[in-house]
Amino acid sequence: MDEDLNVTYITLGGHVEVHKYRYLYFVIMFTAYILIICCNSTIVYLIWIHKNLHEPMYIFIAALLINSVLYSTTIYPKLLIDFLSDKQVISYSACLFQYFLFYSLGGSEFLLLSAMSYDRYVSICKPLQYPTIMRKTTVSVSLALAWLVPACQLVASAIMSMKQKLCRFTLQVIFCNNSIYKLHCVTSRAISIYGVFILLNVALCPMLFILFTYTKIFTVSYRSCREVRTKAAETCLPHLLVLINFSLLCTYDVIIVRLESDIPKIARLIMTLQLVLYHPLFNPIIYGLKMKEISKHLKQLFRQYKMN
């Protein structure tokens, strides 16, 4: 606590030998951050400039990739500063803000994947009704809700946490996640219940919805001709891979607070880095390689670059 400025500082104690390997950590994470921005931005740029990609499916993909860049930006700048600092600290208000952005954008990821699964469901199971259902208004409302619903719910959670008295000032993490609850003197039942409510709303329910829509898609595809099955595999497989990857990493993030003392520090660091390193790079690679139209435009872009 800084008495003069009346600011509470939290120590981020999840780093492993940061003083010894600070420059190595910095170079690796800075390179990863640049790659995340470049890879995601390239796919978004291709979707933006090519009119044949101005369809709901590709618009949702662009939104998902933009979300990945925002998601990474909540973590990387502060992380890079910490690697070069003597002390890895953050004010409690900034910690809450990082927590809010991290989980808000994480929730948006699930809701965007839900919107994408619904788009694929309508396209494959109700092709004649597709133009009527998936209009620009539907897409715009889906995108707005995907970002606003988690943000509105997480604001309340952050405000409730802000009002809690703190008895501890060290987190065994490298950025502010749900372990901030361990700083509170008393575990709030209201915050715990509300946290479960948010988890159901922005993660579990969207995941069940996605699994339901894909079950319907694969059922219809199995009974249809080979062309429909091929279309379903090409467009749905990348979404499922992204969902499985992100769900597994989020499951780790949810349970790590419960098992923190039982997991070695280096193992916690590696798993946490996967959440902010592996996933944001995984999305553009999957969509760039597995989506036929995006892959075609990507190859053309590389050919032009080589020619120049």
Short mmCIF file of all heavy atoms in Angstrom, two decimals, residues 229-254:
data_model
loop_
_atom_site.label_atom_id
_atom_site.label_comp_id
_atom_site.label_asym_id
_atom_site.label_seq_id
_atom_site.Cartn_x
_atom_site.Cartn_y
_atom_site.Cartn_z
N ARG A 229 -21.53 -33.08 -47.15
CA ARG A 229 -20.60 -33.57 -46.11
C ARG A 229 -19.25 -32.87 -46.22
O ARG A 229 -18.64 -32.52 -45.21
CB ARG A 229 -20.42 -35.09 -46.24
CG ARG A 229 -21.64 -35.89 -45.83
CD ARG A 229 -21.29 -37.35 -45.57
NE ARG A 229 -20.83 -38.02 -46.76
CZ ARG A 229 -21.63 -38.65 -47.62
NH1 ARG A 229 -22.94 -38.68 -47.41
NH2 ARG A 229 -21.13 -39.26 -48.68
N THR A 230 -18.78 -32.66 -47.43
CA THR A 230 -17.50 -31.97 -47.65
C THR A 230 -17.57 -30.53 -47.16
O THR A 230 -16.65 -30.03 -46.50
CB THR A 230 -17.12 -31.99 -49.15
OG1 THR A 230 -17.07 -33.35 -49.59
CG2 THR A 230 -15.77 -31.33 -49.37
N LYS A 231 -18.67 -29.85 -47.49
CA LYS A 231 -18.87 -28.46 -47.06
C LYS A 231 -18.89 -28.36 -45.54
O LYS A 231 -18.27 -27.47 -44.95
CB LYS A 231 -20.18 -27.93 -47.63
CG LYS A 231 -20.49 -26.49 -47.24
CD LYS A 231 -21.85 -26.05 -47.77
CE LYS A 231 -22.18 -24.64 -47.30
NZ LYS A 231 -23.53 -24.21 -47.76
N ALA A 232 -19.59 -29.31 -44.91
CA ALA A 232 -19.68 -29.32 -43.44
C ALA A 232 -18.31 -29.52 -42.81
O ALA A 232 -17.94 -28.84 -41.85
CB ALA A 232 -20.64 -30.40 -42.98
N ALA A 233 -17.54 -30.46 -43.37
CA ALA A 233 -16.21 -30.74 -42.83
C ALA A 233 -15.27 -29.56 -43.00
O ALA A 233 -14.54 -29.19 -42.07
CB ALA A 233 -15.62 -31.97 -43.52
N GLU A 234 -15.30 -28.93 -44.17
CA GLU A 234 -14.39 -27.80 -44.45
C GLU A 234 -14.67 -26.59 -43.58
O GLU A 234 -13.74 -25.91 -43.14
CB GLU A 234 -14.52 -27.40 -45.93
CG GLU A 234 -13.82 -28.36 -46.89
CD GLU A 234 -13.97 -27.92 -48.33
OE1 GLU A 234 -14.71 -26.94 -48.60
OE2 GLU A 234 -13.36 -28.56 -49.21
N THR A 235 -15.94 -26.30 -43.33
CA THR A 235 -16.29 -25.07 -42.60
C THR A 235 -16.46 -25.27 -41.10
O THR A 235 -16.25 -24.35 -40.32
CB THR A 235 -17.58 -24.45 -43.16
OG1 THR A 235 -18.65 -25.40 -43.04
CG2 THR A 235 -17.41 -24.06 -44.61
N CYS A 236 -16.81 -26.48 -40.67
CA CYS A 236 -17.08 -26.70 -39.25
C CYS A 236 -15.86 -27.20 -38.47
O CYS A 236 -15.72 -26.89 -37.28
CB CYS A 236 -18.22 -27.71 -39.08
SG CYS A 236 -19.80 -27.12 -39.72
N LEU A 237 -15.00 -27.97 -39.14
CA LEU A 237 -13.84 -28.52 -38.44
C LEU A 237 -12.94 -27.44 -37.82
O LEU A 237 -12.55 -27.58 -36.66
CB LEU A 237 -13.02 -29.41 -39.39
CG LEU A 237 -11.83 -30.14 -38.76
CD1 LEU A 237 -12.30 -31.06 -37.64
CD2 LEU A 237 -11.07 -30.95 -39.82
N PRO A 238 -12.60 -26.36 -38.55
CA PRO A 238 -11.77 -25.31 -37.91
C PRO A 238 -12.42 -24.72 -36.67
O PRO A 238 -11.74 -24.48 -35.66
CB PRO A 238 -11.65 -24.25 -39.02
CG PRO A 238 -11.86 -25.00 -40.29
CD PRO A 238 -12.87 -26.06 -39.96
N HIS A 239 -13.75 -24.49 -36.72
CA HIS A 239 -14.44 -23.94 -35.56
C HIS A 239 -14.37 -24.88 -34.36
O HIS A 239 -14.15 -24.45 -33.22
CB HIS A 239 -15.92 -23.67 -35.89
CG HIS A 239 -16.13 -22.78 -37.06
ND1 HIS A 239 -15.21 -21.83 -37.46
CD2 HIS A 239 -17.16 -22.67 -37.94
CE1 HIS A 239 -15.66 -21.20 -38.52
NE2 HIS A 239 -16.85 -21.70 -38.85
N LEU A 240 -14.54 -26.18 -34.64
CA LEU A 240 -14.49 -27.17 -33.55
C LEU A 240 -13.09 -27.26 -32.94
O LEU A 240 -12.94 -27.37 -31.72
CB LEU A 240 -14.92 -28.54 -34.07
CG LEU A 240 -16.42 -28.79 -34.17
CD1 LEU A 240 -16.69 -30.14 -34.81
CD2 LEU A 240 -17.08 -28.71 -32.81
N LEU A 241 -12.07 -27.20 -33.78
CA LEU A 241 -10.69 -27.24 -33.28
C LEU A 241 -10.40 -26.05 -32.37
O LEU A 241 -9.79 -26.18 -31.31
CB LEU A 241 -9.70 -27.26 -34.45
CG LEU A 241 -9.64 -28.55 -35.27
CD1 LEU A 241 -8.74 -28.37 -36.48
CD2 LEU A 241 -9.14 -29.72 -34.42
N VAL A 242 -10.85 -24.85 -32.80
CA VAL A 242 -10.66 -23.64 -32.00
C VAL A 242 -11.42 -23.75 -30.69
O VAL A 242 -10.91 -23.40 -29.62
CB VAL A 242 -11.11 -22.39 -32.79
CG1 VAL A 242 -11.16 -21.17 -31.89
CG2 VAL A 242 -10.17 -22.14 -33.96
N LEU A 243 -12.66 -24.25 -30.75
CA LEU A 243 -13.48 -24.41 -29.54
C LEU A 243 -12.83 -25.36 -28.55
O LEU A 243 -12.72 -25.05 -27.35
CB LEU A 243 -14.87 -24.93 -29.92
CG LEU A 243 -15.78 -25.27 -28.73
CD1 LEU A 243 -16.16 -24.02 -27.97
CD2 LEU A 243 -17.03 -26.02 -29.19
N ILE A 244 -12.38 -26.53 -29.03
CA ILE A 244 -11.77 -27.53 -28.15
C ILE A 244 -10.50 -26.96 -27.51
O ILE A 244 -10.28 -27.10 -26.30
CB ILE A 244 -11.45 -28.82 -28.94
CG1 ILE A 244 -12.76 -29.51 -29.36
CG2 ILE A 244 -10.59 -29.77 -28.11
CD1 ILE A 244 -12.58 -30.59 -30.38
N ASN A 245 -9.67 -26.31 -28.32
CA ASN A 245 -8.43 -25.73 -27.83
C ASN A 245 -8.69 -24.69 -26.74
O ASN A 245 -8.11 -24.74 -25.65
CB ASN A 245 -7.67 -25.09 -29.00
CG ASN A 245 -6.45 -24.32 -28.55
OD1 ASN A 245 -5.52 -24.88 -28.01
ND2 ASN A 245 -6.46 -23.01 -28.77
N PHE A 246 -9.60 -23.76 -27.02
CA PHE A 246 -9.87 -22.68 -26.08
C PHE A 246 -10.56 -23.20 -24.81
O PHE A 246 -10.27 -22.75 -23.70
CB PHE A 246 -10.74 -21.62 -26.75
CG PHE A 246 -10.84 -20.33 -25.97
CD1 PHE A 246 -9.71 -19.57 -25.72
CD2 PHE A 246 -12.06 -19.90 -25.49
CE1 PHE A 246 -9.80 -18.39 -24.99
CE2 PHE A 246 -12.16 -18.72 -24.77
CZ PHE A 246 -11.02 -17.96 -24.51
N SER A 247 -11.45 -24.18 -24.97
CA SER A 247 -12.16 -24.74 -23.83
C SER A 247 -11.20 -25.42 -22.85
O SER A 247 -11.33 -25.27 -21.64
CB SER A 247 -13.21 -25.75 -24.30
OG SER A 247 -14.15 -25.12 -25.13
N LEU A 248 -10.25 -26.17 -23.39
CA LEU A 248 -9.28 -26.86 -22.53
C LEU A 248 -8.42 -25.86 -21.75
O LEU A 248 -8.16 -26.04 -20.56
CB LEU A 248 -8.38 -27.78 -23.37
CG LEU A 248 -9.06 -29.01 -23.97
CD1 LEU A 248 -8.11 -29.75 -24.90
CD2 LEU A 248 -9.56 -29.95 -22.87
N LEU A 249 -7.98 -24.79 -22.45
CA LEU A 249 -7.16 -23.79 -21.78
C LEU A 249 -7.96 -23.02 -20.73
O LEU A 249 -7.44 -22.70 -19.66
CB LEU A 249 -6.60 -22.82 -22.82
CG LEU A 249 -5.55 -23.41 -23.78
CD1 LEU A 249 -5.19 -22.42 -24.87
CD2 LEU A 249 -4.30 -23.84 -23.03
N CYS A 250 -9.24 -22.75 -21.00
CA CYS A 250 -10.09 -22.05 -20.04
C CYS A 250 -10.39 -22.93 -18.83
O CYS A 250 -10.50 -22.43 -17.71
CB CYS A 250 -11.39 -21.61 -20.70
SG CYS A 250 -11.19 -20.22 -21.84
N THR A 251 -10.54 -24.23 -19.07
CA THR A 251 -10.76 -25.16 -17.96
C THR A 251 -9.58 -25.11 -17.00
O THR A 251 -9.75 -25.10 -15.78
CB THR A 251 -10.95 -26.60 -18.49
OG1 THR A 251 -12.07 -26.62 -19.38
CG2 THR A 251 -11.19 -27.58 -17.35
N TYR A 252 -8.37 -25.07 -17.57
CA TYR A 252 -7.17 -24.95 -16.74
C TYR A 252 -7.23 -23.67 -15.91
O TYR A 252 -6.96 -23.67 -14.70
CB TYR A 252 -5.92 -24.94 -17.61
CG TYR A 252 -4.73 -24.33 -16.91
CD1 TYR A 252 -4.02 -25.04 -15.95
CD2 TYR A 252 -4.34 -23.01 -17.17
CE1 TYR A 252 -2.96 -24.47 -15.27
CE2 TYR A 252 -3.29 -22.43 -16.49
CZ TYR A 252 -2.59 -23.17 -15.55
OH TYR A 252 -1.56 -22.59 -14.87
N ASP A 253 -7.62 -22.56 -16.55
CA ASP A 253 -7.64 -21.27 -15.86
C ASP A 253 -8.63 -21.27 -14.71
O ASP A 253 -8.39 -20.67 -13.67
CB ASP A 253 -7.99 -20.16 -16.86
CG ASP A 253 -7.95 -18.79 -16.22
OD1 ASP A 253 -6.84 -18.32 -15.90
OD2 ASP A 253 -9.02 -18.18 -16.01
N VAL A 254 -9.76 -21.96 -14.89
CA VAL A 254 -10.79 -22.00 -13.85
C VAL A 254 -10.34 -22.82 -12.64
O VAL A 254 -10.56 -22.44 -11.49
CB VAL A 254 -12.12 -22.56 -14.42
CG1 VAL A 254 -13.12 -22.83 -13.30
CG2 VAL A 254 -12.71 -21.57 -15.42
#
